[in-house]
Amino acid sequence: MATIQVRKYATIKEMKNDNNLIVGEVVEIIGYYMIDDGAVHKRIISTSNDGTGVLLNNSLWANLIYKDYLNVCHLGAKGNGNFDDFEIINQALIHDKNIFFPKGIYKISQSLTLNNHNLKGIGNDTILKFEENGIIISTTSNIEKLYILGDSITYKEETSGIHLIANSAQLSTLNNLKIRGFEKGINYRGGNSIKLSNIYLEKNNIGLEVNPTRTQDCNGSIGLGIRAYNSFDTAFKFLKGDSAVGGNFGSSMGNWDISCEGGKNGIFIEGGRYNNFILYSESNSGIEFNIIASGNKIFMRNPDNDAIPETLDNEIIYTSGGHIYKRDPFKLNKIQEVISNDSSVSLQANPIDIFIIKNNNTKTRSMNLQCLAYIPIGTKFEIIVLENNNAGFVLYAPTGYVLKGDIGIFGNYVKGLHRLEVCKVSNTEALLFRKDTVSI
């Protein structure tokens, strides 16, 4: 059997100048622009361009030989942080669905749109440096082992590192990514059953925003090991959106394990139901937890012990100061369990931080307070937040609870001055008396 002779060239330029190449010959390139620039690859000589071809001086084409993933450097991407690699990368996306980025800093002047594509790098040493928007996922695509960079110091307004834009993005996966310097690190607007895992969001205005757009859903998705650090505004936002399909409920039936620290605000959950949340927030200068949505199961952890979460109709487990507070609104005969790490502390003596109590009428005498959780007799409540001047009403706020007025005595209680104690309780209501007045 005859041995196939493979011609070797130091660079693409040297190969182009060889007028002796003929159709069917295989050539090996040691470097695209210079020897040992990392672009070692093979090509086959042809009469036509298959989309990866280099035009030779003798009017023939040298097309790439590869399998599995198309290496952007084999098409001429430099990855040196200065040369604009957008056109070459876009050419790769047009030609193939599987794209590989070796080590380098790829300057990209325009956003990349993915339609059933798979993008893969080698980790933090593969940096896609965008001048504007980052990656738009239009239909199911997968991205892994990339560092997606916007602004290296602050963030660029009206930009997203990754933008999932429609239901057709369903079943996409984002894995082992670092995203930095965008208004929204991940802008999740549509697509069911998305999987996000091992993602580090750094110095974005908003780390991750889940916000279903009209006619789009963000349901059944999984977010595991997502960490936001130094967010300029809010680390995580789960919004109601304007989805006509979802009835303005936001994302549903998902599982989210997320954590954040060192930014302004931590975790804001305005929309979403039937989700399982594991939330960890610490060392943020603003609000650690702001939870408005209902119908979720939530485990919250704040090691700084300075967050008082609002529960609404969620099942809540909140750890703080050595205690675990658990609230289950679906078990009316046993709503509240308070478990202490200190076995010598009685249940009724433990501080209760996470109840919500609402007035179910507007009477100013014999006010009846609806109890959304079973409260033991003798439990003391301190006035933490006071926002409304309408006597006789009990309101709730994102940063805690509001108690205003008690049986027979109405008026505004001052934060930190008054405490109430439960004197009568059932599964549906609690009657409170002002127990004592304390000095600040």
Side-chain angles (χ1 to χ4, degrees):
M1 179 181 290
T3 301
I4 299 177
Q5 183 69 31
V6 177
R7 296 177 185 256
K8 292 187 177 182
Y9 299 93
T11 63
I12 289 288
K13 182 178 180 180
E14 182 180 330
M15 176 196 66
K16 290 173 65 176
N17 291 332
D18 188 348
N19 292 323
N20 295 319
L21 287 171
I22 61 175
V23 173
E25 279 195 278
V26 174
V27 300
E28 182 176 359
I29 313 299
I30 307 303
Y32 198 97
Y33 297 102
M34 63 183 66
I35 296 177
D36 298 328
D37 63 7
V40 178
H41 63 280
K42 291 182 179 180
R43 293 177 177 267
I44 187 168
I45 308 305
S46 175
T47 58
S48 60
N49 180 13
D50 68 355
T52 68
V54 172
L55 182 61
L56 306 178
N57 289 347
N58 63 5
S59 298
L60 295 177
W61 292 87
N63 295 322
L64 271 174
I65 299 174
Y66 69 97
K67 62 179 181 179
D68 299 331
Y69 279 78
L70 173 57
N71 187 326
V72 295
C73 290
H74 296 171
L75 288 179
K78 292 186 176 182
N80 62 9
N82 297 314
F83 180 76
D84 185 2
D85 289 315
F86 169 74
E87 293 295 342
I88 294 171
I89 295 171
N90 201 50
Q91 177 190 348
L93 293 173
I94 294 172
H95 178 75
D96 205 314
K97 297 299 184 182
N98 301 315
I99 310 300
F100 175 70
F101 295 83
K103 178 180 178 180
I105 302 175
Y106 299 86
K107 180 181 176 181
I108 305 173
S109 59
Q110 301 179 47
S111 60
L112 302 176
T113 300
L114 305 188
N115 291 287
N116 295 310
H117 285 94
N118 300 304
L119 267 58
K120 182 168 68 173
I122 63 170
N124 285 342
D125 287 333
T126 301
I127 302 174
L128 306 190
K129 189 177 187 305
F130 289 91
E131 294 188 347
E132 298 297 335
N133 269 304
I135 299 172
I136 299 171
I137 298 181
S138 179
T139 56
T140 306
S141 296
N142 306 300
I143 307 173
E144 62 175 321
K145 297 181 179 180
L146 292 174
Y147 179 179
I148 300 171
L149 177 63
D151 193 303
S152 60
I153 299 176
T154 178
Y155 69 93
K156 298 180 178 179
E157 295 184 357
E158 300 182 359
T159 61
S160 300
I162 296 178
H163 189 181
L164 298 112
I165 63 172
N167 280 342
S168 54
Q170 63 184 340
L171 301 175
S172 294
T173 63
L174 310 177
N175 183 41
N176 290 339
L177 302 175
K178 180 177 180 180
I179 304 174
R180 172 174 174 159
F182 296 91
E183 182 168 0
K184 298 173 184 177
I186 299 176
N187 187 7
Y188 181 11
R189 295 284 279 163
N192 292 328
S193 302
I194 305 295
K195 183 176 181 180
L196 306 90
S197 59
N198 301 332
I199 298 176
Y200 188 72
L201 304 165
E202 182 180 30
K203 290 192 174 182
N204 301 286
N205 194 43
I206 299 170
L208 164 67
E209 182 177 284
V210 181
N211 188 17
T213 188
R214 186 168 182 81
T215 73
Q216 311 298 326
D217 286 331
C218 299
N219 299 330
S221 294
I222 298 175
L224 300 175
I226 307 177
R227 179 87 169 156
Y229 186 70
N230 281 355
S231 301
F232 293 104
D233 184 278
T234 304
F236 296 97
K237 280 189 174 183
F238 292 80
L239 304 178
K240 292 189 299 183
D242 55 2
S243 172
V245 176
N248 296 98
F249 286 111
S251 61
S252 301
M253 299 166 287
N255 291 279
W256 298 91
D257 180 354
I258 57 180
S259 62
C260 61
E261 69 170 307
K264 183 178 180 182
N265 297 306
I267 300 169
F268 175 50
I269 303 178
E270 175 200 47
R273 55 181 180 169
Y274 317 136
N275 294 292
N276 294 315
F277 287 104
I278 299 177
L279 312 176
Y280 183 104
S281 180
E282 66 167 323
S283 303
N284 294 291
S285 62
I287 300 173
E288 298 286 7
F289 301 106
N290 187 351
I291 299 174
I292 299 175
S294 60
N296 300 290
K297 184 173 182 179
I298 302 174
F299 178 88
M300 291 182 289
R301 171 66 174 151
N302 171 241
D304 294 334
N305 192 24
D306 62 1
I308 301 173
E310 179 177 342
T311 62
L312 294 179
D313 295 326
N314 299 289
E315 179 178 349
I316 297 289
I317 299 175
Y318 175 59
T319 66
S320 173
H323 297 86
I324 300 175
Y325 304 97
K326 180 179 180 182
R327 177 179 183 278
D328 186 348
F330 309 108
K331 299 177 183 178
L332 295 179
N333 60 340
K334 191 179 181 183
I335 296 293
Q336 179 76 22
E337 298 176 15
V338 183
I339 305 170
S340 174
N341 291 340
D342 184 355
S343 60
S344 65
V345 178
S346 66
L347 293 183
Q348 291 189 11
N350 289 338
I352 306 296
D353 287 338
I354 63 171
F355 287 121
I356 289 179
I357 303 173
K358 294 193 296 187
N359 182 18
N360 59 12
N361 59 55
T362 58
K363 295 180 180 179
T364 58
R365 298 183 65 82
S366 300
M367 184 172 62
N368 193 20
L369 296 177
Q370 180 184 6
C371 177
L372 298 184
Y374 182 82
I375 308 174
I377 292 175
T379 301
K380 294 182 179 180
F381 290 84
E382 183 174 348
I383 308 304
I384 295 178
V385 177
L386 191 63
E387 292 186 355
N388 193 292
N389 291 321
N390 296 323
F393 281 89
V394 175
L395 306 176
Y396 51 88
T399 52
Y401 54 78
V402 179
L403 299 177
K404 298 182 63 173
D406 57 24
I407 302 302
I409 301 176
F410 296 92
N412 295 336
Y413 288 148
V414 180
K415 173 181 176 181
L417 281 180
H418 301 297
R419 292 180 179 176
L420 305 180
E421 183 173 321
V422 177
C423 64
K424 179 181 178 181
V425 67
S426 71
N427 287 340
T428 58
E429 63 183 28
L431 301 183
L432 310 180
F433 280 118
R434 188 172 71 185
K435 181 64 178 178
D436 56 7
T437 300
V438 296
S439 59
I440 297 179

